[in-house]
């Protein structure tokens, strides 16, 4: 061959030219770097491969002190596992410990990213190279000619200088287990950061949970990053909205610190953390000049785990998390999930396994509240999952959440002892109302929330009932309108609870507004209108407008008898209310008009009818007997009233619990009957106990408390006189 050579070579390529017969054999080995041992490894294992370094590590002193113990002279090999949900600051703690080990204890620090097999393998071989492994040995390990993990640990075990090895982001423990990468050594300490909480993955290791920050420390993180954006108190409010999650706090602080042209205050930022836009706003705090890392964004950090669920064939786990994301970042009783209605989203038989996976990946945690086992998930996590949920899935998820909550609330709420489980359901009902935007879904969620408010009210938890009903009505009105039947019913329940809280003026205004609207849109005899009237007459009667209250109550009794029937619990409740409202002369007149005290139509026969149709322990029956004892008392039948109210107090305590509000009302009447029979000291003692109970439960300024205090003073001064029989 003659002539100029026209071949060209680039990079490591070579061109061969010959004029005779030549036989050329070449072996090609391709590497990402110049060294055959490099194998595409990290640029450094001596520095933590982290994103933004915290200005100050807050509230991790106890954890670091425990880790320091493993570096003390004479301590043997130690493996520590920092576990917790994404964004809680595990890597930040590991970085702080890394700095302590290298600067204060003279350890060689080795930092390896264990997020996937390739990164782990490359990082561990780089650590072996740091500890003296030869290029030929590393090349053989890369090519699979010798076990890579054995090579790495051979050099770690033989290190002349003690070391600290950090395996960061080890969220798939199987990678460490299958390759034999996680071992102990007398020459060093291993620290693992992971989202996987189950102890079975980390045999022999000391586990340390890393959670969210305390309120004050969370506020300090924001002030560290954006000191001119607001006060500590304002920062604490923002921190609460962010769930005190370190990643969210860091992003929020970064956003506030970089607003130059039009700086934001913390109050302004906190006010924008509402709705589906909150996650996007938080992630705006990421450094736009750095490469996007999903672990550094709240909107994507958990998507890594969800993607792994899909890849591993665990769609039920994704479905369960999306279902939880329709609810609140508050403890959810596990019994709510143990219901057949969950099958619309995932098979009930798979719900337990799906929850176990979420627990293992720190996407939720179990908490025990007075013996009630609950699942608790972080708010930023739930918001992120909710935003990323496919729109086509929302209707089924919302309907399923509503049915699960519906099944957890009593179908017919009745009076009874305080039930902590009911209060736990309230934030989830309200969260569902915030999430759902479909009209039918809003109606379903509002029905559940209103019935829950009734249940809370009837267990004596008036504050929770007021908060639940009022918030539910306001949320639902955005979709249904202020004059929707269900919204009006929720507002009516709000007014009933306001009355029990002693806020009579507010209760009257609200109940009058609701009733006027119901009269205009529905009718006077509509069950909802009658229910509002029942509540309004209570306010009027306790505000000194007895005649107006009696007139309204009589109209409610007539309406309920016509619409619901004479035996309906609501009708009997209203008739029993007359016994508590009428004067002695009015009760006597009714008895004369009816001819006797025992006929089915007789007012004084209501307790017997309640016992017959509702049962002796029904709340309406107990209330009717209580009011009947009051009627006997005002009629001057003091002995009969004393005998009856004593038994009512015992039955109240047995059925409703000793702390139920009606117990104090019955004991107050019992104090009066005792005094009326001449046992004044016993009456004073009883009345003093009632005052203490009402001050403790209602406060010193509540109307009921003031009435009780006044009665006690009259008994003590001798000014009190029992009612006389009507002439």
């Amino acid at each position: 061959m003659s002539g100029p050579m026209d071949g060209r070579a680039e990079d490591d390529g070579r061109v061969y030219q010959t004029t005779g017969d030549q036989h050329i054999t070449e072996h090609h080995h391709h590497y990402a770097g110049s060294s055959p041992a490099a194998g595409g490894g990290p640029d450094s294992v001596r520095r933590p491969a982290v994103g933004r370094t915290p200005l100050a590590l807050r509230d991790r002193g106890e954890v670091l002190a425990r880790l320091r113990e493993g570096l003390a002279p004479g301590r043997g090999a130690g493996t520590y596992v920092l576990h917790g949900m994404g964004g809680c600051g595990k890597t930040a703690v590991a970085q702080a410990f890394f700095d302590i080990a290298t600067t204060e204890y003279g350890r060689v620090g080795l930092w390896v990213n264990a997020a996937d097999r390739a990164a782990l393998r490359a990082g561990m071989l780089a650590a072996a190279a740091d500890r003296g492994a030869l290029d030929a040995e590393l090349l053989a390990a890369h090519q699979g000619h010798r076990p890579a993990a054995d090579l790495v640990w051979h050099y770690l075990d033989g290190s002349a200088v003690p070391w600290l090895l950090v395996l960061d982001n080890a969220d798939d423990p199987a990678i460490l287990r299958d390759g034999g990468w996680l071992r102990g050594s007398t020459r060093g300490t291993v620290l693992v950061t992971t989202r996987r909480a189950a102890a079975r993955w980390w045999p022999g290791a000391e586990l340390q949970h890393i959670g969210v920050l305390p309120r004050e420390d969370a506020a300090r993180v924001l002030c560290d990053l954006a000191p001119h954006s607001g006060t500590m108190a304002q920062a604490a409010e923002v921190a609460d909205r962010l769930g005190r999650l370190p990643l969210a706090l860091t992003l929020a602080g970064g956003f506030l610190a970089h607003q130059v042209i039009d700086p934001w205050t913390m109050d302004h930022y906190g006010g924008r953390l509402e709705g589906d836009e909150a996650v996007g706003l938080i992630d705006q705090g990421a450094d736009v000049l750095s490469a996007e890392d999903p672990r550094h964004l709240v909107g994507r950090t958990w998507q890594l785990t969800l993607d792994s669920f899909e890849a591993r064939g665990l769609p039920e786990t994704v479905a369960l998390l999306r279902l939880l994301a329709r609810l609140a970042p508050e403890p959810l009783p596990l019994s709510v999930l143990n219901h057949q209605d969950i099958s619309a989203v995932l098979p009930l038989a798979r719900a337990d396994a799906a929850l176990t996976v979420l627990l293992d990946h720190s996407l939720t945690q179990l908490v025990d509240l007075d013996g009630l086992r609950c699942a608790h998930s972080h708010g930023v996590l739930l918001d992120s999952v909710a935003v990323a949920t496919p729109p086509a899935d929302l209707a089924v998820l919302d309907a399923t959440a509503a049915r699960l909550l519906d099944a957890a609330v009593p179908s017919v709420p009745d009076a009874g002892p305080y039930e902590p489980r009911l209060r736990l359901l309230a934030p989830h009902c309200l969260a569902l109302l915030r999430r759902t935007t479909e009209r039918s879904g809003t109606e379903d969620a509002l029905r559940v929330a209103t019935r829950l408010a009734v249940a809370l009210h009837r267990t004596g938890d008036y504050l929770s009932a007021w908060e639940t009903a009022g918030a539910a009505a306001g949320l639902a009105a955005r979709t249904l309108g202020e004059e929707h039947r269900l919204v009006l019913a929720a507002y009516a329940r709000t007014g009933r609870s306001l009355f029990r809280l002693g806020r009579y003026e507010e209760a009257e205004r609200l109940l009058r507004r609701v009733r006027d609207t119901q009269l205009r849109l529905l009718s006077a005899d509509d069950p909802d209108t009658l229910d509002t009237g029942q509540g309004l007459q209570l306010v009027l009667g306790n505000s000194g407008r007895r005649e107006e209250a009696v007139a309204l109550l009589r109209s409610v009794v007539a309406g309920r008898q016509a619409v619901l029937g004479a035996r309906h619990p609501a009708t009997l409740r209203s008739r029993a209310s007359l016994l508590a409202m009428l004067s002695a002369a009015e009760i006597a007149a009714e008895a004369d008009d009816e001819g006797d005290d025992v006929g089915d139509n007789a007012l004084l026969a209501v307790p017997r009818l309640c016992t017959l149709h509702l049962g002796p322990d029904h709340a309406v029956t107990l209330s009717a007997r209580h009011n009947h004892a009051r009627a006997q008392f005002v009629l001057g039948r003091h002995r009969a009233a004393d005998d009856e109210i004593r038994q009512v107090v015992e039955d109240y305590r047995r059925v409703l619990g000793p702390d139920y509000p009606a117990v104090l009302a019955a004991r107050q009447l019992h104090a009066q009957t005792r005094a009326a029979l001449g046992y004044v000291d016993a009456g004073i003692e009883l009345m003093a106990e009632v005052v203490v109970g009402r001050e403790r439960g209602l406060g010193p300024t509540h109307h009921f408390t003031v009435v009780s205090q006044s009665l006690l003073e009259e008994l003590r001064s001798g000014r009190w006189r029992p009612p006389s029989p009507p002439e």
Side-chain angles (χ1 to χ4, degrees), residues 106 294 556 600 723:
V556 171
D600 284 354

Side-chain angles (χ1 to χ4, degrees), residues 63 74 165 191 193 266 281 287 326 340 365 501 556 578 644 652 669:
V63 176
L165 171 63
L191 179 67
T193 71
M266 289 191 185
L281 175 60
D287 186 358
R326 310 311 295 168
Q340 187 60 44
Q365 60 179 328
L501 292 171
V556 171
L578 280 172
E644 186 168 18
Y652 267 152
L669 178 56

Side-chain angles (χ1 to χ4, degrees), residues 108-130:
V108 169
L110 304 170
W111 190 283
V112 174
N113 178 17
D116 56 63
R117 295 181 188 275
L120 173 65
R121 182 183 179 87
M124 291 294 279
L125 286 172
D130 182 274

Side-chain angles (χ1 to χ4, degrees), residues 43-382:
D43 293 330
S44 173
V45 290
R46 286 296 191 97
R47 296 179 62 84
V50 298
R52 183 176 299 171
T53 302
L55 294 179
L57 192 67
R58 299 293 182 183
D59 184 54
R60 303 305 189 193
E62 184 177 340
V63 176
L64 290 174
R66 180 182 175 189
L67 294 175
R68 279 176 179 269
E69 295 175 359
L71 301 178
R75 287 293 298 267
T79 300
Y80 300 89
V81 175
L82 306 180
H83 64 89
M85 67 181 296
C88 67
K90 303 180 294 294
T91 296
V93 175
Q95 182 183 3
F97 183 54
F98 187 95
D99 293 340
I100 291 171
T102 54
T103 58
E104 297 183 26
Y105 290 84
R107 294 285 184 107
V108 169
L110 304 170
W111 190 283
V112 174
N113 178 17
D116 56 63
R117 295 181 188 275
L120 173 65
R121 182 183 179 87
M124 291 294 279
L125 286 172
D130 182 274
R131 295 294 82 212
L134 303 177
D135 281 356
E137 294 175 304
L138 296 170
L139 180 60
H142 275 295
Q143 293 178 333
H145 297 318
R146 65 177 300 175
D150 290 347
L151 173 68
V152 172
W153 283 99
H154 169 76
Y155 278 96
L156 289 175
D157 289 337
S159 174
V161 181
W163 43 261
L164 168 68
L165 171 63
V166 176
L167 300 176
D168 193 28
N169 297 324
D171 298 331
D172 186 357
I175 295 175
L176 300 175
R177 180 193 61 193
D178 296 345
W181 291 108
L182 182 59
R183 308 181 188 182
S185 173
T186 58
R187 298 301 299 155
T189 300
V190 180
L191 179 67
V192 180
T193 71
T194 181
R195 302 182 186 189
R196 305 297 291 274
R200 69 177 184 278
W201 291 113
W202 317 109
E206 292 190 35
L207 274 63
Q208 174 66 57
H209 177 253
I210 306 296
V212 299
L213 296 174
R215 193 170 194 259
E216 181 177 349
D217 290 287
R220 290 190 182 280
V221 170
L222 289 173
C223 291
D224 289 341
L225 295 167
H228 304 298
S229 298
T231 64
M232 274 287 292
Q234 293 168 327
E237 292 294 326
V238 175
D240 286 341
R241 289 176 177 264
L242 296 171
R244 307 195 306 277
L245 183 72
L247 174 59
L249 295 168
T250 301
L251 292 172
F255 177 88
L256 290 169
H258 289 88
Q259 300 303 300
V260 179
I261 297 177
D262 185 17
W264 286 30
T265 65
M266 289 191 185
D267 283 346
H268 181 58
Y269 185 89
R272 294 286 299 275
L273 291 174
E274 298 289 347
D276 294 343
E277 294 77 21
V279 172
L281 175 60
I282 296 169
D283 281 342
Q284 288 185 40
D287 186 358
V288 297
L289 299 179
S290 63
E292 186 178 285
D293 183 346
R295 294 178 182 275
H296 299 159
L297 300 171
V298 298
R300 295 188 60 194
T301 181
W302 296 289
Q303 191 60 42
L304 297 171
T305 306
L306 297 187
D307 291 344
S308 74
F309 292 160
E310 297 281 8
R312 291 159 53 196
L314 297 172
E316 298 93 349
T317 304
V318 178
L320 178 58
L321 186 57
R322 286 174 175 166
L323 178 61
L324 293 176
R326 310 311 295 168
L327 304 176
E330 301 290 341
L332 176 71
L334 295 183
S335 57
V336 174
L337 302 177
N338 189 27
H339 192 275
Q340 187 60 44
D341 283 335
I342 202 173
S343 298
V345 172
L346 72 156
L348 177 59
R350 296 289 301 162
D352 192 83
L355 180 60
T356 299
V357 174
L358 293 180
L359 293 169
D360 186 28
H361 287 78
S362 299
L363 292 173
T364 191
Q365 60 179 328
L366 288 182
V367 295
D368 189 294
L369 300 178
D370 297 326
L372 195 63
R373 297 174 67 241
C374 302
H376 190 192
S377 304
H378 194 277
V380 176
L381 161 65
L382 297 184

Side-chain angles (χ1 to χ4, degrees), residues 373-622:
R373 297 174 67 241
C374 302
H376 190 192
S377 304
H378 194 277
V380 176
L381 161 65
L382 297 184
D383 286 344
S384 300
V385 174
V387 169
T389 298
D393 295 345
L394 296 180
V396 173
L397 289 168
D398 288 342
T400 302
R403 286 195 295 270
L404 292 175
L405 292 170
D406 181 76
V409 177
S411 57
V412 182
D414 199 1
Y418 170 69
E419 173 54 72
R421 184 181 62 86
L422 293 177
R423 181 182 289 184
L424 293 177
L425 298 176
H428 300 290
C429 290
L430 298 179
L432 182 58
L433 279 168
R434 291 188 187 95
R435 298 284 192 201
T436 186
T437 57
E438 295 292 331
R439 189 175 183 85
S440 61
T442 300
E443 289 176 344
D444 291 342
L446 180 57
R447 287 190 186 94
V448 177
T450 303
R451 198 169 79 251
L452 174 62
V454 174
L456 289 165
H457 184 102
R458 291 182 179 172
T459 61
D461 191 356
Y462 304 126
L463 181 60
S464 295
W466 165 67
E467 292 172 340
T468 301
L475 290 168
R478 300 180 305 180
T479 301
L480 305 178
E482 290 284 342
E483 295 189 342
H484 189 281
R485 172 189 282 273
L486 295 176
V487 174
L488 291 172
Y491 278 132
R493 293 310 312 181
T494 307
R496 298 282 285 267
S497 296
L498 281 171
F499 160 68
R500 290 296 177 182
L501 292 171
R503 296 161 62 174
Y504 290 177
E505 292 183 4
E506 295 174 73
E508 182 182 350
R509 284 197 302 270
L510 181 55
L511 289 170
R512 282 194 185 279
R513 176 175 68 82
V514 171
R515 187 167 182 270
D516 288 345
T517 306
Q518 290 171 329
L519 288 170
R520 174 168 53 86
L521 298 178
L522 305 175
S523 71
D525 288 338
D526 185 273
D528 284 359
T529 308
L530 294 170
D531 186 65
T532 305
Q534 175 75 19
L536 180 58
Q537 63 86 22
L538 286 170
V539 180
L540 297 174
N542 282 272
S543 300
R545 285 169 286 176
R546 195 188 69 84
E547 292 184 0
E548 185 180 358
V550 169
L552 178 56
L553 180 56
R554 288 188 185 280
S555 70
V556 171
V557 170
R560 283 181 163 175
Q561 283 181 327
V563 175
L564 304 176
R567 299 179 180 180
H568 193 279
T571 304
L572 293 171
R573 183 186 297 275
S574 295
R575 292 192 68 197
S577 297
L578 280 172
L579 286 171
M581 188 70 68
L582 298 181
S583 66
E586 290 168 330
I587 296 173
E590 293 238 357
D592 290 340
D593 290 342
E594 293 160 351
D596 55 50
D597 291 354
V598 296
D600 284 354
N601 294 324
L603 186 61
L604 291 174
V606 170
R608 180 177 61 81
L609 295 175
C610 290
T611 301
L612 178 63
H613 298 300
L614 304 179
D617 289 341
H618 194 282
V620 173
T621 303
L622 295 175

